[in-house]
Amino acid sequence: NTKSSPSDTRLFTFHKDSKQIASTALSVGFENDTIQVQINGIEIIRGKVVAYADNKWHQIALVVNKRKISLYMDGKKLLKFRAKIPAFGTHPASLGSLTGIRKAFIGHIDEFSLFTKDFSPSEIKELFKNGDTFDLKSHSQAKYLLHWYRLGDSRFDSIKNIEDIITGLNGAPGGITESDFSTDVP
């Protein structure tokens, strides 16, 4: 949910190592009104122009299956391509930015998840559920759920930690306060 479309922002970044200076394994963000996926710190796949800066909630779904990646917005496939994603490192994932403060997304993010199976159109509709939140462990493809960040719905979420309730690869939020957390937005 955002009101403006700033240039080069990140919705999330998974890092490929554990160094103090993080390097990107997989990142999704926006550059102006173009959605982009960055892999291995250099390869950038740009999507269609999307109108996301309209002060409404939008669902972004990224599905990674071995060497195939699909990206959906509001239940519609925007990108599909082949790429090898490096293993994720132990450096915390960054939600809403590249490294915690750089390339920050200005807006709200909720219910972030990553699956390891490409979805059929009906499975994406099931996931989207017209924008309503639900327990992803009850999704028909829950066995492929790799990461799920509830962003305020976990008792372990704080201004220093966002819990990944599936794998424990917790995220590091940046620039948020306790009052930014909300349960089941919208």
Side-chain angles (χ1 to χ4, degrees):
N1 175 331
T2 186
K3 293 180 182 179
S4 63
S5 54
S7 63
D8 202 8
T9 64
R10 299 291 188 269
L11 294 174
F12 74 88
T13 304
F14 286 104
H15 302 287
K16 64 181 179 179
D17 56 32
S18 59
K19 297 177 185 175
Q20 185 72 9
I21 299 174
S23 56
T24 301
L26 176 64
S27 179
V28 172
F30 293 101
E31 186 164 355
N32 300 313
D33 285 331
T34 302
I35 197 160
Q36 63 184 18
V37 177
Q38 186 175 32
I39 299 165
N40 209 13
I42 52 172
E43 183 178 358
I44 297 178
I45 295 87
R46 297 186 195 286
K48 300 174 183 175
V49 173
V50 292
Y52 73 93
D54 55 5
N55 205 26
K56 296 178 184 176
W57 283 97
H58 296 280
Q59 179 209 46
I60 306 293
L62 181 73
V63 181
V64 178
N65 183 9
K66 296 183 183 177
R67 298 192 83 171
K68 184 171 71 171
I69 298 171
S70 299
L71 186 130
Y72 301 83
M73 183 170 173
D74 297 336
K76 297 177 185 173
K77 191 179 284 190
L78 296 181
L79 293 172
K80 182 178 179 180
F81 56 93
R82 293 195 174 277
K84 183 176 180 184
I85 296 176
F88 299 152
T90 57
H91 193 282
S94 295
L95 305 175
S97 71
L98 177 66
T99 59
I101 56 171
R102 292 184 41 225
K103 301 183 186 234
F105 175 77
I106 310 287
H108 300 279
I109 299 172
D110 194 27
E111 300 295 330
F112 175 86
S113 59
L114 179 67
F115 288 80
T116 60
K117 177 190 181 292
D118 198 2
F119 285 2
S120 69
S122 64
E123 291 165 342
I124 283 292
K125 285 182 183 178
E126 178 189 359
L127 182 65
F128 183 52
K129 283 207 174 211
N130 296 318
D132 293 334
T133 58
F134 68 103
D135 184 350
L136 291 181
K137 292 179 184 177
S138 68
H139 187 274
S140 64
Q141 300 302 317
K143 66 183 177 183
Y144 300 104
L145 182 57
L146 181 61
H147 299 286
W148 184 19
Y149 299 91
R150 302 288 323 267
L151 296 159
D153 295 313
S154 167
R155 64 186 177 101
F156 298 108
D157 289 347
S158 71
I159 61 172
K160 294 184 179 188
N161 181 69
I162 302 295
E163 182 189 25
D164 177 354
I165 64 171
I166 303 301
T167 66
L169 184 61
N170 295 341
I176 66 169
T177 64
E178 289 292 335
S179 65
D180 291 328
F181 287 112
S182 177
T183 303
D184 286 333
V185 175

